[in-house]
Amino acid sequence: MKKLIIFFIMSLWFLQACYEDKGNYTYAELNEVEVTIPLKSGYTIRSYWGEEIVVEPTLKFANPKDTLEFDYVWRCDLDTISHERILKYTPTGACKNYTLQLYVIDRKTQFTYYGTVSLAVNTPYKYGFALLAEKSDGSSAIHYLRLETADAPNYYYTPFYDVYVKEQPGDPLGKKPYYMAENLSTTANGGDELTVLQEDGRNVSLAGTDFAKVVYLDEEFSGGVYPDGMKPKEVYFSGGNNVDVVLGDNGKVYTRVNPNTTQSGGFHQTYFLPLPQYFDKSNTYVDRLIPGHPYSRLVMMYDKENHRLVGVAADGTSSVNGAPVVINDKSSNPDDFVNLNDLGDYELIWIADWGKVYGTGKYASILKKDGVYYYQAFNLTKQNNQTAVDVSNQSKSLFAGNGVVSDNTKYAMMYTGNYMYFAEGKSLYYCEFRNEGGVIRQIVKHVHDFDKNIVCLEGDYNGGRLLIALEGGKLYLFDTSDQVLGSPDPWSAGKMYESPDDANLGEIKRIIFKWGDTNNRNNAGDATPF
């Protein structure tokens, strides 16, 4: 006869006790144990490889006097990792989900009781701010600020400086960096890459898990040579939508329609086309790429020669993938809205996407004409399997930052679209876009003056924090909540982090928010992922 006792705890925990009939009904006395592995939240213990976790189980003994008569065995999948009651374990394996089990063994009877839980092991560099910097000797450096979960003692961000050197000692990255972009996969535990462009040293893609070199960018062109001696100026990866773009310093765009970018290891299965992207005007000169949310299914660009926006479809496996799009903008009065196909006398100073709507890109921009700055916002919507792009929600108004901003001002549009931060020299400001009876009113307020010029601004995944970089590599993290902005001294109330003066970060060239995978990117603003 066998006796099976099962306890369900939080739908995942269970206890099994086995008792064997000895034949003449002489039974050993059972000291049953109820095993629970408590969690702070959810149903999974979340950990980072290379960082110790401590797991203290809750054990309820039927006979508390015999609590020393037990052995303990912790297993991670099939590997035994500890014989202590309290687990102290540093994951070092692959980034994936494991089964963590504690076996409590009665020495007298050899009966075994156990609890089990899922253990998610991730790279410590998956989700947070990634910073590209140049050290005093010209060498390229990568720094990282990790977003923590709300129950972490150091919530919100933990800094990891010089992570490339830490993870890849003896393999210099290069020198004189100037650009960085993330390539995303759908792999849940990592799988992204960072592509770094640098003047001295080959442009290279790095594994998002440990920054190991994966492939050089010139190797992704046939023959391992850039077209016509083209020098990459910017790169863009469409986040699983299977179109990658390299912008050259010659104003030409080179694309790759990759059939398998959404799979782990599928980033580099096709070459970039050696011929530049075709547009309807032969003198098209792309000055900049306009990164957008993958949901927009667009890769937008600014054609400086013709004062217009252009773009290509980023539509997954659609037949139009990689084809140039046609912007259906019928605007005729630039006082109301400047037509995106012909900005005319207006100069595009800054443009960025914000928010998340499936099938639609939401954009904010700063235009300039005759020394006056204007704020223009709009949506671009593209249907599946089509190249036509419709413009909606058009608005244009005098920018309330006139008198403060210049052509060199740094901008950061926050995720909700309610706030835009901008920096002119040493001064930080924000512009609130307040809806008052269907009319958007701009309210500009000064936040803080620093002792050095501001070189980079970047908001985080939901716009709740702003990362600020100064000349010389000084960093500040600022809480952008309404409570902070409404306080008498927002900077004192909202300053969350200041980098140490001796951190030696170098000159910050670019800040991006590192999403880690397309699931995090597509769900931006909804919750705090791991």
Side-chain angles (χ1 to χ4, degrees):
M1 177 180 64
K2 291 188 177 180
K3 179 180 179 183
L4 179 65
I5 305 173
I6 301 177
F7 296 89
F8 287 93
I9 302 170
M10 295 178 64
S11 301
L12 286 178
W13 315 112
F14 58 88
L15 161 70
Q16 177 176 299
C18 296
Y19 178 76
E20 184 175 349
D21 188 343
K22 298 301 182 181
N24 54 4
Y25 303 98
T26 302
Y27 298 97
E29 182 180 355
L30 292 181
N31 183 7
E32 294 179 349
V33 185
E34 191 174 312
V35 182
T36 307
I37 306 176
L39 299 177
K40 292 181 179 179
S41 61
Y43 303 99
T44 302
I45 294 176
R46 304 190 182 278
S47 64
Y48 300 105
W49 51 252
E51 297 183 16
E52 184 182 75
I53 60 171
V54 178
V55 182
E56 184 172 358
T58 298
L59 305 177
K60 183 178 180 181
F61 296 91
N63 184 1
K65 295 181 181 180
D66 293 338
T67 57
L68 299 179
E69 300 300 321
F70 290 85
D71 292 323
Y72 303 92
V73 178
W74 287 92
R75 287 184 181 175
C76 184
D77 282 354
L78 298 179
D79 296 329
T80 298
I81 57 175
S82 176
H83 292 281
E84 302 296 328
R85 175 170 172 171
I86 298 177
L87 175 66
K88 295 182 179 180
Y89 174 57
T90 302
T92 56
C95 294
K96 65 177 187 178
N97 290 335
Y98 297 85
T99 298
L100 183 65
Q101 293 178 315
L102 169 61
Y103 295 88
V104 181
I105 305 169
D106 189 331
R107 297 195 195 101
K108 294 179 181 179
T109 64
Q110 292 301 299
F111 284 10
T112 301
Y113 308 84
Y114 67 94
T116 184
V117 69
S118 176
L119 174 65
V121 178
N122 231 312
T123 169
Y125 313 120
K126 179 179 179 181
Y127 193 73
F129 288 107
L131 300 88
L132 180 66
E134 180 180 342
K135 292 297 191 72
S136 58
D137 63 355
S139 61
S140 302
I142 295 177
H143 311 301
Y144 180 74
L145 299 180
R146 182 174 75 201
L147 176 64
E148 304 291 356
T149 57
D151 57 4
N154 54 348
Y155 183 59
Y156 294 98
Y157 286 88
T158 299
F160 296 83
Y161 296 138
D162 286 312
V163 289
Y164 178 83
V165 173
K166 173 187 174 184
E167 296 294 339
Q168 305 299 326
D171 187 11
L173 179 55
K175 290 189 174 183
K176 298 189 179 300
Y178 58 91
Y179 199 82
M180 177 173 64
E182 184 183 22
N183 196 354
L184 298 169
S185 82
T186 56
T187 306
N189 299 89
D192 64 322
E193 293 178 358
L194 295 179
T195 297
V196 175
L197 305 184
Q198 42 198 353
E199 298 280 358
D200 187 4
R202 295 166 71 185
N203 306 312
V204 63
S205 292
L206 310 175
T209 52
D210 62 358
F211 306 105
K213 292 177 180 176
V214 177
V215 65
Y216 291 102
L217 186 58
D218 54 1
E219 296 174 337
E220 303 207 70
F221 288 83
S222 181
V225 179
Y226 296 127
D228 301 323
M230 176 271 294
K231 173 187 171 183
K233 179 181 178 180
E234 297 179 2
V235 293
Y236 178 72
F237 305 95
S238 61
N241 285 339
N242 298 356
V243 174
D244 301 333
V245 176
V246 174
L247 169 62
D249 59 354
N250 55 3
K252 299 184 182 301
V253 171
Y254 301 85
T255 61
R256 168 175 62 187
V257 179
N258 194 332
N260 203 26
T261 53
T262 58
Q263 302 302 316
S264 177
F267 290 139
H268 313 290
Q269 294 185 3
T270 58
Y271 290 121
F272 282 93
L273 297 176
L275 298 177
Q277 174 71 42
Y278 167 79
F279 293 103
D280 60 331
K281 295 184 179 180
S282 60
N283 66 337
T284 296
Y285 186 97
V286 175
D287 174 68
R288 75 195 77 170
L289 303 178
I290 307 170
H293 195 284
Y295 276 1
S296 71
R297 299 178 297 202
L298 292 167
V299 182
M300 298 306 299
M301 314 163 196
Y302 176 54
D303 175 7
K304 187 175 182 179
E305 182 68 22
N306 297 289
H307 302 276
R308 63 173 182 162
L309 297 191
V310 294
V312 297
D315 221 351
T317 58
S318 168
S319 60
V320 302
N321 217 26
V325 298
V326 178
I327 302 175
N328 294 325
D329 189 350
K330 306 302 182 183
S331 305
S332 58
N333 185 356
D335 291 336
D336 296 328
F337 187 80
V338 182
N339 193 300
L340 302 179
N341 292 306
D342 184 5
L343 300 183
D345 295 333
Y346 289 84
E347 180 183 358
L348 179 65
I349 301 299
W350 168 83
I351 186 170
D353 83 309
W354 60 274
K356 178 186 69 175
V357 177
Y358 190 76
T360 297
K362 305 169 73 172
Y363 298 88
S365 62
I366 297 293
L367 305 176
K368 177 186 174 184
K369 180 182 178 182
D370 298 330
V372 179
Y373 295 88
Y374 299 87
Y375 175 78
Q376 178 157 296
F378 54 93
N379 292 355
L380 297 179
T381 300
K382 190 187 80 61
Q383 302 299 325
N384 280 327
N385 301 313
Q386 296 183 19
T387 57
V389 176
D390 295 324
V391 185
S392 62
N393 289 0
Q394 301 105 311
S395 66
K396 172 180 173 272
S397 57
L398 189 69
F399 181 46
N402 271 282
V404 174
V405 299
S406 71
D407 292 358
N408 297 317
T409 299
K410 310 299 180 183
Y411 297 89
M413 192 71 181
M414 307 308 279
Y415 176 81
T416 62
N418 295 328
Y419 294 94
M420 179 177 71
Y421 284 80
F422 61 96
E424 176 61 29
K426 301 176 182 180
S427 301
L428 177 67
Y429 303 83
Y430 73 83
C431 179
E432 179 184 0
F433 299 95
R434 184 178 297 178
N435 191 329
E436 297 180 345
V439 177
I440 302 299
R441 183 162 72 97
Q442 301 176 32
I443 303 172
V444 169
K445 291 188 177 181
H446 175 262
V447 178
H448 187 67
D449 289 327
F450 297 91
D451 59 352
K452 293 184 178 180
N453 288 334
I454 300 168
V455 295
C456 289
L457 296 174
E458 185 70 19
D460 68 356
Y461 73 103
N462 67 355
R465 272 92 22 203
L466 178 74
L467 187 60
I468 305 158
L470 307 185
E471 288 178 338
K474 188 75 172 179
L475 296 178
Y476 294 90
L477 193 64
F478 179 65
D479 183 349
T480 64
S481 64
D482 290 341
Q483 295 88 337
V484 167
L485 298 182
S487 65
D489 185 354
W491 181 251
S492 296
K495 187 179 78 170
M496 303 174 62
Y497 174 78
E498 177 182 349
S499 61
D501 292 335
D502 59 356
N504 188 28
L505 303 183
E507 295 294 336
I508 306 299
K509 298 297 182 178
R510 185 163 169 83
I511 300 174
I512 63 173
F513 193 82
K514 185 178 183 294
W515 300 97
D517 59 51
T518 53
N519 183 61
N520 285 345
R521 183 68 179 97
N522 292 340
N523 292 322
D526 294 340
T528 306
F530 173 62

